[in-house]
Amino acid sequence: MESQSKRLSFVHGLGTVRRALSVLAEVPHVLKLLLIPLFLTVILDGLTLYFGFGWLHGLIRRALPSEGAAALLLDIAAVLVLVLVLAWTFGFVYLTLCELVIDRVSEEIEQHLTGHPGSVEGLSHSILGLFRSALQSTVLAVLGLVGALLNIIPLLGSILSLLLAATLLGYGFFVVSAGRKGLDLSQRVALLRANLGAIVALGSCALAINLIPVINLLALPVFVVAGTILFLDVTAPP
């Protein structure tokens, strides 16, 4: 593949977010396609926060009985832990729910930028691409769980967890176009290795935004577009 010879930088990856905002201003109708998975993600994360806080609150109170200010601090700590966990999972859940519409969004963005959709034609290719994307989502979810468990290790574990989260999120948004392009998993991983800096930059932005309530709801569609732009940059002919 010609695209594997490209090496896009960390700065290039950051720039795709700004370019995505410009593209969305020109084709705002694609946002409608992303509203349903976004709405479902909000519901799922809201339920997780509600029931997760109750479970974690009870666990902490049983382990560390306390009253007054100490109890309030423990409750705040429980909320912060849940917010961090949800920041970890928010983008992955959204990407999984987007699978049914993400090809069309990516296709429309490519049509707008290049003048053609660039998808591999044929029902068999579409089904195979969907299967590969579903398998990929499962692998990302497992790796995400492993990354969250790294936080058990003081300091170093947290740093590694953040780096892994940024890489996985960036990769998830980067390969939104891979299914309709007919790329297999080995080709996708090859692109990740060749452009790791740019992909980590994209994922770092997504992870940082996920930590900000409300803003994260508005920003996730931007990263779908930014991932498509980065993919087109990487796979464009020299």
Side-chain angles (χ1 to χ4, degrees):
M1 283 179 69
E2 287 180 326
S3 57
Q4 291 183 13
S5 63
K6 287 196 174 183
R7 299 290 189 275
L8 298 184
S9 68
F10 188 91
V11 174
H12 188 104
L14 293 177
T16 59
V17 178
R18 174 184 52 78
R19 291 163 61 195
L21 290 170
S22 299
V23 169
L24 282 173
E26 297 167 1
V27 285
H29 64 276
V30 300
L31 289 172
K32 296 177 182 178
L33 297 171
L34 298 169
L35 287 180
I36 293 178
L38 185 60
F39 180 68
L40 291 174
T41 304
V42 171
I43 292 176
L44 289 174
D45 273 39
L47 290 173
T48 302
L49 181 61
Y50 178 78
F51 290 107
F53 174 76
W55 173 79
L56 193 56
H57 175 268
L59 186 66
I60 291 175
R61 288 299 177 88
R62 287 192 295 272
L64 301 169
S66 56
E67 297 180 357
L72 178 61
L73 288 174
L74 288 175
D75 288 344
I76 293 174
V79 171
L80 289 176
V81 168
L82 285 172
V83 168
L84 288 173
V85 170
L86 291 178
W88 234 106
T89 61
F90 194 77
F92 296 118
V93 173
Y94 179 68
L95 280 169
T96 301
L97 293 174
C98 274
E99 284 297 333
L100 295 177
V101 299
I102 210 165
D103 280 355
R104 185 175 170 191
V105 172
S106 176
E107 206 169 59
E108 291 208 23
I109 296 301
E110 184 169 356
Q111 177 76 46
H112 173 74
L113 292 174
T114 68
H116 57 82
S119 299
V120 174
E121 296 182 356
L123 180 60
S124 61
H125 284 294
S126 298
I127 294 174
L128 182 59
L130 188 61
F131 171 75
R132 287 168 174 164
S133 295
L135 177 61
Q136 175 182 272
S137 295
T138 302
V139 173
L140 289 178
V142 172
L143 290 175
L145 178 60
V146 172
L149 293 175
L150 285 174
N151 284 295
I152 298 173
I153 305 172
L155 190 58
L156 179 60
S158 297
I159 294 173
L160 292 175
S161 178
L162 287 173
L163 287 173
L164 181 59
T167 304
L168 295 179
L169 268 179
Y171 174 77
F173 286 113
F174 170 70
V175 294
V176 294
S177 303
R180 64 184 182 85
K181 295 285 189 180
L183 271 65
D184 61 32
L185 295 180
S186 63
Q187 290 172 312
R188 301 180 193 195
V189 172
L191 291 177
L192 167 65
R193 293 174 60 187
N195 300 276
L196 185 59
I199 291 171
V200 170
L202 177 61
S204 297
C205 291
L207 184 61
I209 292 297
N210 278 353
L211 293 170
I212 308 174
V214 181
I215 299 298
N216 56 2
L217 305 182
L218 303 175
L220 280 181
V222 175
F223 292 107
V224 172
V225 177
T228 298
I229 292 172
L230 183 56
F231 187 90
L232 292 176
D233 288 346
V234 167
T235 56

